[in-house]
Amino acid sequence: MSKKQTATEELYDVTIGGGGYVGLSLALALKQSEPSMKVALVDLRPRSAIENDPRSSAIAAGAVRMLDQLGIWYQLEDEAQPITEMIVTDSKLHDSVRPVFLTFAGDVDEGEPFAHMVQNNHMVGALHDAATDAGVHIFAPDSVKDFAVEPAHVNITLGSGKTIQSRLIVAADGVRSKLRDLAGIHCNRWSYNQSGIVTTVAHERPHNGRAEEHFLPSGPFAILPLKRNRSSIVWTEKTNEANRLVNGDEFTFEIELERRFGHHLGEIKLDGPRQAFPLNLVLARSFVTNRFALAGDAAHGIHPIAGQGLNFGFKDVAALSEVLVDAHRLGLDIGAAHILERYQSWRRFDTWQMGMTTDVLNRLFSNNIDPVRAVRDLGLGLVERMPFLKKHFIGEAAGMAGPSPKLLLGNPL
């Protein structure tokens, strides 16, 4: 039954469920570009909880350009560590020497590294404050309990009991998205039976901006440079082993960490909490439905082997904000099916392609079969000898391969 708007219900143009980097950057991009748009964001976490995230993320050059265009990069730049070089090795855990099969170095443009390491709490906190200052209405702590789609709007019931209306609702509430389930969008998914262990270490010697990815039989072990002789670790293990390491004593954890890290940066010690996150492939079968769109991990959860999960979320934001702002300026209904289909056609194939690529890479490199190792090492060696291929992969790592939305090029909407 259709429900008319009452005096107690506010009508928004866009309501976003989820206050992580995707939801906040989308809200900020929309409100900055079109101040007349009414944008709401609903988040379970209060502002104070953002400071509790100890993780760091690799931000590609395209995402840096977007954050600069949104006016917050200057707040992050001093603490952001440029990644100036990356090496890739492939070895067994007990091998005394880890030969380097592939190296990446160079800037996207002169003086512009292809990626930076940024602390999550700094980035999300800056986005939150900028979105608030821009006029985004943030309901927090709160949640979207339910919603019902009408011909011209969506009726939204919040966990607090408040009801609002919106022309469009965007789910940016993570890989276990409740909103995606409420919308009836199904996913293709499977578990890798792996978990990603995330922590931070301090070391004696400087890393000089070099990132390392070691392909070990249990999965990739990444060392990502941070400021002040520190590195972020993303360590893939079988889930049972990961849980044992994270929940066990610190001494055992540090011994196992050192076996994988090596001694090239001198003595290492833990410099933050250790956490483990299950790794799955989750790909939504559709990114849009009636007055509803998915963005970020709610649309796609991919293996971190290529380090593109966060940057694909920023690509979603750049594409969706461009589509919605263009439609709003033309006076069109931003929740209409043909408007949302433009966003889906822009992002869905790219996402599925990356999902399949990371899946194949993980299966290829997370094993200890000698003939397979020989083939993959041959492939890495061939790429190392082909500058045009390496340039293509740097473009992919920078987040600017293929048709790029305006914000990823550093241009205003």
Side-chain angles (χ1 to χ4, degrees):
M1 178 181 290
S2 177
K3 177 183 175 184
K4 293 182 179 180
Q5 182 183 356
T6 70
T8 60
E9 291 173 332
E10 298 172 84
L11 176 63
Y12 293 92
D13 293 296
V14 181
T15 298
I16 301 162
Y21 72 95
V22 169
L24 287 166
S25 58
L26 176 61
L28 179 59
L30 294 174
K31 195 64 179 172
Q32 277 190 351
S33 302
E34 284 293 284
S36 64
M37 289 184 76
K38 292 193 66 177
V39 181
L41 184 142
V42 185
D43 188 19
L44 274 170
R45 302 177 303 171
R47 170 66 177 85
S48 57
I50 292 172
E51 304 300 328
N52 297 328
D53 188 348
R55 295 172 296 172
S56 298
S57 297
I59 308 296
V64 170
R65 292 182 181 187
M66 186 177 89
L67 294 174
D68 189 41
Q69 184 61 42
L70 295 179
I72 71 159
W73 180 246
Y74 79 95
Q75 299 178 53
L76 309 176
E77 191 170 10
D78 286 347
E79 286 297 311
Q81 170 62 51
I83 298 179
T84 57
E85 179 187 18
M86 182 169 184
I87 65 167
V88 178
T89 75
D90 185 14
S91 64
K92 298 179 181 179
L93 183 58
H94 60 265
D95 288 351
S96 57
V97 176
R98 292 179 180 169
V100 175
F101 287 94
L102 190 57
T103 61
F104 294 104
D107 297 339
V108 177
D109 284 331
E110 187 174 351
E112 183 183 20
F114 64 83
H116 287 76
M117 288 296 295
V118 175
Q119 289 184 224
N120 288 10
N121 56 0
H122 292 170
M123 177 177 64
V124 177
L127 284 168
H128 186 284
D129 295 344
T132 301
D133 292 343
V136 175
H137 190 147
I138 297 180
F139 297 91
D142 211 334
S143 63
V144 176
K145 182 179 179 181
D146 201 1
F147 63 87
V149 179
E150 303 289 345
H153 64 266
V154 184
N155 295 317
I156 302 170
T157 303
L158 302 183
S160 61
K162 184 176 178 63
T163 58
I164 61 175
Q165 295 183 336
S166 185
R167 303 188 192 283
L168 172 67
I169 184 168
V170 178
D173 54 341
V175 71
R176 298 182 181 88
S177 173
K178 176 186 174 183
L179 295 179
R180 183 184 62 213
D181 294 339
L182 288 173
I185 294 178
H186 298 290
C187 297
N188 287 350
R189 67 177 77 207
W190 55 84
S191 171
Y192 291 114
N193 192 29
Q194 294 174 318
S195 289
I197 301 172
V198 178
T199 192
T200 301
V201 299
H203 38 77
E204 285 185 293
R205 302 185 190 122
H207 46 57
N208 296 318
R210 186 174 77 174
E212 305 176 24
E213 184 146 37
H214 302 294
F215 288 120
L216 301 171
S218 62
F221 179 90
I223 303 172
L224 304 169
L226 299 173
K227 289 286 188 177
R228 295 180 293 278
N229 281 17
R230 298 178 305 131
S231 292
S232 176
I233 304 300
V234 183
W235 169 7
T236 302
E237 282 287 346
K238 294 294 184 183
T239 295
N240 289 342
E241 179 67 4
N243 290 337
R244 181 187 71 81
L245 288 166
V246 168
N247 296 323
D249 64 273
E250 189 170 300
F251 178 73
T252 300
F253 184 86
E254 288 187 333
I255 289 175
E256 293 295 332
L257 174 63
E258 189 176 73
R259 290 180 69 200
R260 292 155 178 81
F261 192 102
H263 302 280
H264 57 295
L265 295 180
E267 183 181 349
I268 64 171
K269 62 179 180 179
L270 286 178
D271 193 46
R274 25 183 180 147
Q275 299 173 300
F277 301 90
L279 301 179
N280 306 291
L281 180 65
V282 179
L283 296 172
R285 296 181 186 177
S286 174
F287 281 20
V288 300
T289 186
N290 296 333
R291 299 196 172 276
F292 183 92
L294 298 173
D297 287 351
H300 43 75
I302 62 176
H303 199 284
I305 192 168
Q308 289 299 305
L310 178 143
N311 293 295
F312 259 55
F314 276 133
K315 275 191 175 183
D316 294 346
V317 169
L320 182 56
S321 58
E322 186 169 330
V323 167
L324 297 181
V325 166
D326 286 351
H328 187 265
R329 287 173 178 166
L330 293 172
L332 302 175
D333 180 357
I334 61 173
H338 69 282
I339 300 297
L340 298 180
E341 185 56 39
R342 182 187 167 204
Y343 163 64
Q344 172 161 263
S345 64
W346 200 344
R347 294 297 303 130
R348 188 165 175 266
F349 176 76
D350 187 29
T351 297
W352 275 72
Q353 185 179 51
M354 178 58 73
M356 294 299 100
T357 299
T358 56
D359 180 71
V360 169
L361 286 173
N362 183 55
R363 294 175 190 276
L364 180 63
F365 284 95
S366 297
N367 65 71
N368 203 23
I369 304 171
D370 287 336
V372 175
R373 289 186 67 226
V375 170
R376 72 197 186 204
D377 292 348
L378 175 63
L380 290 173
L382 288 173
V383 172
E384 176 68 12
R385 290 165 176 77
M386 295 181 178
F388 71 94
L389 264 183
K390 291 176 71 173
K391 186 176 181 180
H392 169 75
F393 288 135
I394 288 175
E396 288 280 358
M400 292 183 288
S404 294
K406 292 176 183 177
L407 284 176
L408 294 185
L409 298 175
N411 298 325
L413 293 177

